Amino acid sequence: MRFASSLSAPASLERGGNPRMHAMHSPCSAARTLASATVALALLTSCAIGSRSVAKEKLNELPAESSSQTEAQGPITDGTSAVNGMVGIRPGARVTDSFIQQLLEVDSSLTSFIGAPEAYDATIVIALAAEAARTDAPRRIAEQLRSVTEGGTACVSYRRCRNWILKNADADYDGISGQLSFVPSGTVREFQFTKLQFNKSGGIEEAGSLAVNSDEDEVTKAPNLDLGTWAQPDGVLTLGTLLPQVEPNSDRARAALAGVTLAVRQINEEFGTLGNKVVLLPDASGDGTPGSTQAAANTLVDLGADAVIGGTDAAVTEVALPVISGIAGRLFISPVDPAPQPAERHHGLFFRCSVPPTIEGLVLGRLALAEGFVRPALLIANNAESLQLVTPFSTAITEGGGSIAGQAIIDPAASNTQAIADMLAAGPDAVVIIGNSNVATAAVLELLNAEAGARLPILGSAGTMTRDFAQAVGSTR
């Protein structure tokens, strides 16, 4: 795994940071605060710990205007947000105000946009691959997915990429979620992250970005595309969604559905695909249970879906994939489920745009090191997705010369006071929250009520860096 692009140095405290979030028990703090984009690397190199420290990467400050003004307006209107100054990461490139506003026109109830860029891009590349293949046959579309996302003329919109393709030229679609390019196994070559920071209102401000490249030898080779029963083309690209809006992934599912809907709308406002309007089947994803998921998958196949955008987690994908791709030979792209699947379930028709937990944990650990923390403690939600982040996070810290001070597993149905007290007794220099807002809120409130916890800086995984989390934790008053 190698790091490309840039992760910002921490933003200055001019935005009114909460002292208990911003406190830095390291001489590197001043260097990070004062560093310019050019000088940041040199200053932070002296703060590096170990041979593989994040300080080896290029670190840049983003200008303040880069932050989305929509997300920057938080729910705590009197400026006393308890999470003010908390930093964390979100998979995906910087989300612009323009894109957010377009998503809100599709679904005005959205409060989180995680999953929307990846779902939007998945829809666009399916349509571009269909144009490149000159057919809506799923197997032919799958064969073209790589060609329309790498090696050609860079283009950032459906219209421009389609124009290149129709001229028999190679197009390289770089989308909302970043530089999208698939390796033979079906995962993306480069994973984009945005560094986030809560402000005084509990709004989210963007403070930097990072791209992580996945080396070719770290992924499996392409499965055989010549197996299975293939759907017959009819000249109309028909898309379905399988995004059950149930916890803990309801926010991502809703955002992803809005992303697909927006992409189809824009494609059809332009030229459509293959000379026809793209058909988006009504979403009927069910409640995420195995029986409901299998029924939804069968319905999508029966209605003639050429490709399905969906799979909110491994449990949904494992049930749907054998039906959609393994038996029916339809393309399946997941914008939010990062788990790999055995080739015999999909015959090379399964692609993933989302970031694997191993990568998110690694990046979160390197962010902690870049912030100057070498003895973080972990507050971890007791679910599979969160637990998968722990090992890569810990590896990043130890390979950077630090150590994990302690950890506590969050039980949302009980008091975590003693577990948090034991964790704090180990003397961490920061606390990292790994989980989602629904699970982590009560534990964070208990942490902030503890005298030692109230003085420590807090970092968060993607699931906590949301407006809903800031609203749930509330005010310092």
Side-chain angles (χ1 to χ4, degrees):
M1 205 65 60
R2 57 181 183 275
F3 279 63
S5 190
S6 59
L7 175 68
S8 80
S12 99
L13 303 186
E14 291 177 357
R15 294 172 181 159
N18 185 338
R20 71 185 177 196
M21 297 289 186
H22 281 299
M24 300 289 183
H25 309 292
S26 163
C28 303
S29 173
R32 288 194 306 272
T33 302
L34 298 174
S36 67
T38 303
V39 181
L41 178 60
L43 289 175
L44 281 165
T45 298
S46 65
C47 306
I49 303 168
S51 61
R52 295 182 62 186
S53 170
V54 71
K56 285 187 174 183
E57 316 306 333
K58 184 179 179 183
L59 299 149
N60 288 314
E61 189 91 9
L62 277 182
E65 60 269 24
S66 292
S67 294
S68 161
Q69 296 306 306
T70 302
E71 290 193 291
Q73 298 170 2
I76 312 300
T77 56
D78 64 358
T80 61
S81 172
V83 294
N84 179 30
M86 176 177 168
V87 298
I89 57 173
R90 174 171 63 197
R94 185 173 67 86
V95 181
T96 65
D97 266 325
S98 173
F99 185 65
I100 288 174
Q101 291 303 323
Q102 292 174 77
L103 289 171
L104 291 173
E105 290 175 7
V106 174
D107 183 352
S108 60
S109 68
L110 292 178
T111 57
S112 172
F113 306 99
I114 296 175
E118 291 80 6
Y120 177 92
D121 286 344
T123 308
I124 295 293
V125 298
I126 290 171
L128 291 173
E131 288 283 16
R134 306 291 196 265
T135 179
D136 63 308
R139 175 168 63 98
R140 299 302 179 197
I141 295 174
E143 290 172 343
Q144 293 296 326
L145 280 178
R146 292 184 68 198
S147 70
V148 300
T149 56
E150 66 179 7
T153 301
C155 45
V156 295
S157 70
Y158 176 73
R159 171 186 284 189
R160 292 188 178 182
C161 290
R162 179 178 178 272
N163 286 343
W164 283 112
I165 290 169
L166 294 183
K167 294 176 182 177
N168 292 317
D170 289 335
D172 178 1
Y173 175 70
D174 293 337
I176 299 293
S177 63
Q179 295 181 352
L180 195 66
S181 176
F182 292 101
V183 298
S185 66
T187 191
V188 294
R189 187 180 303 280
E190 181 176 273
F191 301 105
Q192 301 274 340
F193 288 87
T194 301
K195 178 188 171 185
L196 305 175
Q197 180 170 356
F198 282 115
N199 60 24
K200 293 185 292 185
S201 71
I204 297 170
E205 298 184 1
E206 295 163 350
S209 61
L210 173 68
V212 185
N213 287 339
S214 178
D215 290 328
E216 187 71 24
D217 59 3
E218 295 182 9
V219 295
T220 59
K221 297 304 179 184
N224 191 343
L225 269 173
D226 293 325
L227 300 175
T229 302
W230 305 118
Q232 296 301 308
D234 60 7
V236 177
L237 180 61
T238 302
L239 303 179
T241 53
L242 188 56
L243 298 161
Q245 297 179 27
V246 294
E247 297 300 340
N249 298 307
S250 59
D251 287 345
R252 294 187 184 192
R254 285 173 47 230
L257 182 59
V260 174
T261 305
L262 176 61
V264 170
R265 179 182 299 176
Q266 292 181 348
I267 290 168
N268 287 339
E269 286 174 351
E270 293 289 342
F271 312 99
T273 300
L274 302 173
N276 295 296
K277 299 289 188 183
V278 174
V279 173
L280 178 59
L281 299 172
D283 183 78
S285 298
D287 60 9
T289 59
S292 177
T293 297
Q294 185 165 15
N298 283 320
T299 298
L300 291 172
V301 171
D302 291 342
L303 291 175
D306 299 306
V308 174
I309 298 98
T312 48
D313 57 26
V316 170
T317 304
E318 285 171 1
V319 172
L321 191 59
V323 175
I324 293 171
S325 299
I327 297 174
R330 315 300 168 89
L331 182 63
F332 194 118
I333 297 187
S334 176
V336 291
D337 174 22
Q341 295 290 334
E344 60 269 17
R345 289 183 179 170
H346 57 81
H347 307 307
L349 291 169
F350 179 53
F351 294 80
R352 294 167 287 140
C353 301
S354 49
V355 176
T358 52
I359 305 298
E360 183 181 345
L362 173 68
V363 172
L364 187 60
R366 292 192 170 219
L367 173 62
L369 289 173
E371 294 287 303
F373 306 126
V374 294
R375 277 183 52 79
L378 304 178
L379 263 179
I380 310 160
N382 191 16
N383 57 57
E385 182 178 357
S386 299
L387 293 171
Q388 288 180 72
L389 270 64
V390 174
T391 297
F393 177 90
S394 302
T395 299
I397 295 296
T398 55
E399 289 187 348
S403 61
I404 303 300
Q407 66 180 45
I409 303 296
I410 300 170
D411 182 353
S415 170
N416 296 279
T417 302
Q418 187 58 52
I420 290 173
D422 294 341
M423 177 190 73
L424 295 174
D429 56 8
V431 175
V432 180
I433 314 297
I434 297 179
N436 57 56
S437 60
N438 296 328
V439 176
T441 299
V444 170
L445 288 171
E446 290 182 273
L447 173 68
L448 295 177
N449 286 330
E451 183 177 353
R455 295 194 299 267
L456 287 172
I458 298 179
L459 290 81
S461 64
T464 64
M465 301 303 294
T466 67
R467 178 188 175 94
D468 286 348
F469 179 69
Q471 187 165 16
V473 174
S475 170
T476 55
R477 293 181 178 177

